Each structure stands twice: as C-alpha cells, then as structure tokens.
C-alpha cells in the first residue's frame, strides 16, 4: 500500500467511526472532539519518540505488561517518572528546549486509551486535566485556549457524568482501534486530519464550509503563488520567506502552499494566519502542529482582519512594515461590515477608498495587498460581483487596474464550494507586474458534474482531462489566446469597457453560430422537391396497374 493510499484509507476509517458514533450530535460538535483526540494522539507519539532519544537506554520501553499492571502504570514514561522523580524537572526543561512542549505521562494517549479500554471512571477528569495542561503549561509559546471548544461535561455526551465518561470511553477506544495499524508520522496523521476537516465541512452545510477551502481550489492558489512572480514560466521560487492568509480558517491553504514549495525542493521561512472564529482558530493551530510544524515556524492570530487587530500588521513606520512573498485567501463572500471614518483613513484603504457596507470583498483584498512584497504574488478567491459591481467597488477596481496591479482573472465553475453554489473567481495581484495587460481564464465549463457538488478533474493520465493543471499552466505560460478559454486583454480594451472585468466580455465559452448558405439550402430543397415529384409519379403508375387510387 502506497503512503497516499494509506493516508486515504486512514481518513476513511476515521470518518466511518465519526459517522457511526456521533448519532444525533451536531457534526461541528463531534468534529471538535474527534480532531482533538487525533491531535492528542499525534502529540503523544512525538513526545514519547523524543523521550526515547533523550533518555536512551534508561527509557523503560521493554517493561512487561504484567509488571506495568502491578505498578499501576500504562506507559513506559510513567515508570521513568516514578523511578526518577528528582530528575523530572531537568528532563522536562530539556524536552521544552528540544521539542518545545511537555506532556505529563498520565495525559499521554497510551494512558488515555487504556482508561477507555477498561471503562475507567477516571477518564473524563484525566482528559480535562490533560487538555488544560497542554493549553496552559505544555508549550513555551502561548497555546492558551487550544481546547476551549471541547466541553467534556456537555450533555451532548450524556446527561450524567457516568454517561459522559462511558461515551468518551467508546469514542476514544474506537479511534484507538481504528488508527492502531497506521503510521504515526506527521504526513499520515496530518492528512487524515485534513481529510476529516473536509468531510465535516462537506456534511455540515454552509456554516461548516466557511472555514475550509476545497483541496482542488487550494492547489490552484498554492501553485500560482509559489511560481516566480515576474517570470512564472521559469518555475517555482526557491524560497518563500513569509506567507500570509488573512482569513485562514483551518489553515489548510497555508499548509498547501508550504507543501507545494517544499515538494519542489524549496523552503518556507514562516507562515502567518489570521482567523476571527475561535473554534476555527484552534483547528488551525492544531493543523499546523499535526503537519510536523514547530510552534516557531508559524503564527496564527485570533482577531478581526478588517479591524486589523493584529499588532504585527499595525507598524506605522513604512521602513519596518512586514511584507509577504505570497498571500492567499478565501475570505467570507460579500460579508456585511461597518466601514467608518476612522477606517477611511486607515493606511490599508486610504489610497483606494472603502468597500461598501454590503460587501467587504475588496476590504479583504486591500488588506492583504497592502502587505504584499514587491516581488510577491497574491491570489484571492472572491465572488464574481467584484468584477463588475459599480459604486465604491468600481472605483477600487479601476485604481487597481490603472496602477497595473491586477495580473490575472480566473473564472471557476459553479458549485465547487461547500458554503455556496455560486461560481467564484480567483484574482491574482502583484505590486510590480511585468505585463501591462490582464490575463483572463474562463474555466467555468471545465469540471466534472456531481450530484451534490462539482469537482475539478485532476487525472494524472495525460490522455484524460486535468482542469487544475490546465488553469495553472495557462497562468504560468500566459498565452495570447486559447479559444473559448483564455485571452490576454489590453488595458485599452478594458478601459473601453469601463473597467468592467466580467469574464464573458473577454472570453466567451459559447460556440459561434454556424453560417448558413441560403442559396445552397434553396438548391437542395428544390432538388428534393423534384425527386419527390418524380418518385410520386412512378409510384402512382404502379398503383394504377394494381387498380388502386393514386396519391
């Protein structure tokens, strides 16, 4: 079984467990329990592996089960703690220095699963203590509130403490059994986590889908921003120093950018994300760690992007302003917001004006664009309305075009997202753009239709359609014209159209009407009529011989 097949199988196994166990519980609520337990499993495995290396031959991993039972311990590390109490403080200091976190032996997954297997009444309280320790004392950096959405005393788990404890025992034991035969490395568990996030988003409707960008669309954005900003056709950049997603949701899009650049042999310095929703913010932080990232390699901020509550992005001195090599975003579509006189003077919006109260789409775009580096690329998913709506949006769009910052407009098929069925577009922006035209890609008819949701085809077979590759390669090589698909459009033509970027104005997918030669048609009809007349006369001769009436 390949690594990819193993990852997919683990994801499906865990989803089946979730689907069977959650019963009447809301999918969002069950998601938080399941993903938190998977996260605890990952942390525990990595901590124990690091402890083995640190303690070497002193790590009691060959202790017989009957001896462990007599000692009333469930993990080897718990034995070491009991036998080396005076060395624990120094050991934990060393672990914080090397792996950046500490988990007490009683909070490790091995102990938790054993409590679940034996239906111990101590499970619930041990879990509560473990989660609080990880939040408040485990990490050197601030991971407060990481499990704030996990209410282990919720009546959704059971009406009494005993019922809740029993339900938790069942969930944890099923998860433990389900993942026992799979690798515990970050790629396998991280991808399983991503798989579950996607499944919960698909099953949770509009609200659930807001925090998750489908992997296929995430791939398009990631591939675009990792290509060289000035010469995409030369391939991927060697390094992205800083990457930002200012509406990061569960962090999947940021991780996709990191994966693309690393798979191409490049590197990423640090990734930055911002998320307003506390539940999703916690998902993002877990997601980073589950994919093997150290807490020094990423920074996720909980706060309102439009109000710019992140101190990191509030540097007033232009020479000290942080800039990003790549910016990606899938912000909430047409969000209502409160533009104020204070925001009108905000450094992000002052040169362009404020987006209208009814739709914050351009506010998100301008926020990100302000922090884009001179050689960087920004790719943002937005509703089609930003391409043609008038008023304040028209003024912002016009200035961006006149300043030559809009590089590419990509139209996607409808019904690709969990949160909406409308078609959306991707805008690619650059501070220092080489070309003085705009590339339009109309991919609206290139997809595979599904019962509930459409998908982009991504076959590896060269003879089969690959919609994702076609979009990325069209952006990368920037052809002058591809029939019914793409075209480079001059600024003069865009100006003549009133700076309206409606994609179908520039790239129509409709087939040209077939020209009809009326003289030729008339000649054919005359010939047919002559043939009918001749054959009718012959037929009537036969009828006459048979004594029948002619027709």
């Amino acid at each position: 079984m390949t690594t990819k097949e193993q990852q997919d199988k683990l994801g499906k196994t865990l989803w089946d467990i979730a689907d069977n166990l959650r019963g009447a519980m809301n999918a969002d609520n069950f998601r938080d329990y399941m993903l938190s337990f998977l996260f605890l499993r990952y942390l525990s495995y990595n901590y124990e592996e690091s402890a083995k290396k640190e303690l070497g031959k002193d790590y009691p991993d060959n202790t017989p089960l009957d001896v462990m039972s007599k000692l009333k311990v469930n993990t080897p590390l718990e034995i070491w703690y009991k036998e080396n109490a005076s060395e624990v403080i120094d050991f934990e200091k060393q672990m914080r220095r090397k792996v950046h976190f500490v988990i007490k032996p009683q909070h490790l997954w091995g102990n938790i699963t054993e409590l679940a297997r034996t239906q111990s009444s101590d499970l619930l309280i041990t879990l509560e203590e473990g989660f609080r320790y990880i939040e408040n004392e485990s990490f050197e950096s601030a991971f407060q509130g990481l499990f704030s959405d996990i209410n282990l005393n919720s009546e959704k788990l059971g009406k009494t403490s005993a019922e809740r404890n029993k339900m938790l025992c069942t969930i944890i034991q099923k998860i433990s059994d389900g993942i026992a035969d799979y690798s515990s490395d970050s790629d396998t568990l991280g991808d399983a986590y991503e798989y579950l996030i996607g499944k919960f988003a698909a099953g949770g409707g509009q609200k659930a889908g807001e925090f998750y960008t489908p992997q296929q669309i995430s791939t398009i954005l990631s591939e675009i921003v990792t290509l060289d900003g000035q010469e995409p056709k030369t391939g991927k950049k060697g390094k992205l120093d800083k990457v930002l997603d200012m509406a990061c949701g569960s962090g999947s899009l940021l991780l996709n950018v990191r994966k693309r650049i690393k798979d191409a042999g490049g590197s990423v310095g640090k990734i930055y994300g911002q998320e307003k929703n506390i539940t999703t913010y916690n998902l993002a932080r877990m997601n980073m760690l589950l994919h093997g990232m150290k807490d020094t390699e990423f920074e996720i901020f909980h706060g309102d992007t439009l109000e710019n509550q992140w101190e990191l992005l509030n540097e007033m001195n232009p020479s000290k302003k942080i800039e990003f090599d790549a910016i990606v975003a899938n912000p909430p579509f047409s969000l209502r917001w409160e533009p104020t006189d204070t925001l009108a003077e905000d450094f992000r919006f002052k040169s362009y004006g404020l987006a209208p109260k009814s739709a914050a789409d351009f506010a998100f775009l301008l926020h990100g664009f302000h922090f884009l580096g001179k050689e960087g690329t920004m790719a943002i998913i937005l509703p089609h309305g930003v391409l043609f709506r008038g008023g304040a949006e028209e003024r912002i769009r016009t200035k961006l075009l006149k300043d030559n910052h809009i590089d590419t407009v990509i139209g996607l098929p409808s019904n690709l997202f969990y949160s909406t069925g409308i078609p959306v577009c991707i805008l690619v922006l650059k501070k220092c753009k080489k070309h003085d035209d705009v590339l339009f890609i109309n991919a609206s008819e290139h997809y595979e239709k599904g019962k509930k949701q459409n998908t982009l085809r991504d076959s590896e077979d060269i003879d089969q359609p690959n919609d994702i590759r076609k979009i990325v390669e069209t952006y990368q090589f920037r052809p002058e014209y591809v029939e019914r698909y793409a075209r480079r459009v001059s600024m003069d033509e865009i100006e003549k159209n009133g700076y309206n970027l409606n994609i179908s104005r520039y790239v129509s997918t409709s087939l040209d009407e077939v020209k009809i030669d009326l003289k030729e048609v008339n000649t054919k009809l005359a010939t047919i009529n002559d043939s009918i007349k001749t054959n009718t006369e012959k037929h009537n001769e036969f009828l006459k011989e048979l004594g029948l009436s002619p027709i």
Side-chain angles (χ1 to χ4, degrees), residues 404 433-438 478 488-492:
N404 200 31
K433 195 174 94 171
K434 181 179 179 181
H435 306 280
D436 58 0
D437 55 25
V438 176
R478 207 176 181 86
R488 288 171 63 172
V489 180
S490 69
M491 286 307 303
D492 287 341

Side-chain angles (χ1 to χ4, degrees), residues 55-108:
L55 297 175
K57 58 182 175 56
D58 292 332
Y59 188 81
D61 58 345
N62 294 318
T63 308
L65 291 176
D66 60 329
V67 174
M68 291 179 70
S69 179
K70 287 177 182 177
L71 292 172
K72 296 183 179 179
V73 297
N74 294 318
T75 64
L77 195 58
E78 197 168 358
I79 297 174
W80 188 88
Y81 265 63
K82 284 179 178 292
E83 294 177 348
N84 301 274
S86 62
E87 299 178 36
V88 168
I89 292 176
D90 288 339
F91 167 74
E92 290 185 349
K93 280 183 181 178
Q94 190 74 344
M95 293 299 283
R96 287 184 195 279
R97 188 178 69 81
K98 291 190 174 181
V99 296
H100 299 263
F101 68 95
V102 168
I103 300 182
K104 295 292 186 182
Q106 64 269 30
H107 303 148
L108 290 167

Side-chain angles (χ1 to χ4, degrees), residues 480-542:
E480 287 287 344
Y481 175 73
V482 179
E483 186 178 2
R484 300 177 62 240
Y485 190 76
R487 183 160 76 94
R488 288 171 63 172
V489 180
S490 69
M491 286 307 303
D492 287 341
E493 184 177 345
I494 291 172
E495 184 180 2
K496 287 175 184 176
N497 278 295
Y499 297 99
N500 185 314
L501 296 180
N502 196 338
I503 299 170
S504 59
R505 285 194 176 206
Y506 306 101
V507 181
S508 174
T509 59
S510 60
L511 292 168
D512 293 334
E513 290 185 10
V514 179
K515 291 183 179 180
I516 299 173
D517 187 330
L518 293 178
K519 286 185 177 180
E520 183 181 349
V521 171
N522 187 57
T523 300
K524 285 182 178 179
L525 287 172
T527 302
I528 291 169
N529 280 333
D530 288 343
S531 176
I532 290 172
K533 183 179 179 182
T534 301
N535 285 294
T536 300
E537 288 174 352
K538 287 182 180 179
H539 186 73
N540 283 335
E541 287 295 325
F542 291 131

Side-chain angles (χ1 to χ4, degrees), residues 164-353:
R164 292 191 286 273
N165 197 86
K166 184 178 180 182
M167 181 61 172
L168 287 169
C169 285
T170 302
I171 294 171
I172 291 168
Q173 192 173 352
K174 288 287 186 183
I175 294 173
S176 177
D177 292 343
I179 64 179
D181 296 329
Y182 295 93
S183 169
S184 298
D185 63 71
S186 59
D187 286 338
T188 301
L189 283 178
D191 285 354
Y193 187 89
E194 287 274 343
Y195 181 92
L196 287 171
I197 289 176
K199 293 294 284 185
F200 278 115
Q206 182 169 348
K207 184 179 178 184
E210 288 176 355
F211 64 82
Y212 183 74
T213 304
Q215 280 294 319
Q216 294 182 318
I217 300 166
S218 177
T219 296
I220 295 171
L221 269 71
S222 301
E223 288 285 353
I224 286 173
V225 301
T226 53
L227 290 168
D228 186 87
Q230 293 301 308
E231 291 288 352
K233 62 185 177 184
T234 61
K236 284 189 168 55
K237 297 176 181 177
K239 181 179 181 181
L240 293 175
D241 189 41
K242 299 182 186 73
V243 182
L244 171 69
D245 183 345
M246 62 277 190
C248 71
S250 60
S252 302
L253 189 45
L254 282 169
L255 287 166
N256 204 324
V257 174
R258 176 175 175 264
K259 181 180 187 322
R260 299 288 156 185
I261 199 83
K262 291 188 79 172
D263 284 353
S267 63
V268 175
K270 191 170 184 178
I271 61 178
Y272 298 79
Q274 183 165 358
E275 175 54 43
K276 183 179 180 181
N277 181 288
I278 184 68
T279 301
T280 315
Y281 162 68
N282 289 332
L283 284 178
R285 292 191 291 170
M286 290 185 199
N287 207 1
M288 299 295 130
L289 293 164
L290 265 165
H291 279 84
M293 296 193 71
K294 294 180 179 178
D295 56 323
T296 53
E297 295 175 330
F298 68 92
E299 188 170 345
I300 309 294
F301 179 77
H302 176 231
D304 192 314
T305 296
L306 299 180
E307 293 182 9
N308 203 19
Q309 296 173 337
W310 197 353
E311 188 176 339
L312 178 76
L313 304 182
N314 260 307
E315 176 56 61
M316 302 303 291
N317 185 340
S319 64
K320 294 181 179 179
K321 183 184 80 170
I322 187 170
E323 293 186 338
F324 297 90
D325 303 313
I327 297 178
V328 288
N330 174 24
F333 300 151
S334 300
L335 179 74
R336 292 190 67 84
W337 72 310
E338 296 295 333
T340 62
D341 291 342
T342 302
L343 283 172
E345 294 299 313
D346 189 288
F347 53 77
R348 299 167 295 163
F349 309 130
K350 192 172 182 179
S351 300
Y352 295 89

Side-chain angles (χ1 to χ4, degrees), residues 389-535:
R389 287 192 297 242
E393 291 183 300
E394 182 181 357
R395 291 191 291 274
I396 295 170
R397 184 173 63 245
T398 299
K399 180 166 175 54
L400 285 167
L401 285 163
K402 285 183 175 180
D403 292 347
N404 200 31
H405 291 319
I406 297 180
D407 179 87
T408 304
V409 180
I410 303 169
L412 297 175
S414 61
N415 206 29
L416 291 178
F417 284 78
Y418 303 121
S419 55
T420 179
I422 64 170
V424 300
C425 65
I426 297 172
L427 288 187
V428 181
L429 298 101
K430 297 175 182 178
K431 285 278 177 77
C432 299
K433 195 174 94 171
K434 181 179 179 181
H435 306 280
D436 58 0
D437 55 25
V438 176
L439 174 64
F440 285 83
I441 300 174
N442 192 342
S444 60
E445 294 190 358
H446 296 256
Y447 64 95
E448 184 173 317
K449 189 169 182 61
K451 289 183 179 180
K452 292 184 178 180
Q453 190 176 6
N454 297 328
T455 57
L456 298 175
R457 295 164 294 187
D458 58 354
S459 173
E460 293 299 320
D461 189 336
I462 197 168
D463 296 324
Q464 297 299 317
N466 189 316
D467 303 318
I468 296 173
R469 184 169 59 221
K470 185 172 184 178
I471 291 170
V472 173
E473 289 183 353
T474 303
Y475 163 79
Q476 182 177 8
F477 297 106
R478 207 176 181 86
E480 287 287 344
Y481 175 73
V482 179
E483 186 178 2
R484 300 177 62 240
Y485 190 76
R487 183 160 76 94
R488 288 171 63 172
V489 180
S490 69
M491 286 307 303
D492 287 341
E493 184 177 345
I494 291 172
E495 184 180 2
K496 287 175 184 176
N497 278 295
Y499 297 99
N500 185 314
L501 296 180
N502 196 338
I503 299 170
S504 59
R505 285 194 176 206
Y506 306 101
V507 181
S508 174
T509 59
S510 60
L511 292 168
D512 293 334
E513 290 185 10
V514 179
K515 291 183 179 180
I516 299 173
D517 187 330
L518 293 178
K519 286 185 177 180
E520 183 181 349
V521 171
N522 187 57
T523 300
K524 285 182 178 179
L525 287 172
T527 302
I528 291 169
N529 280 333
D530 288 343
S531 176
I532 290 172
K533 183 179 179 182
T534 301
N535 285 294

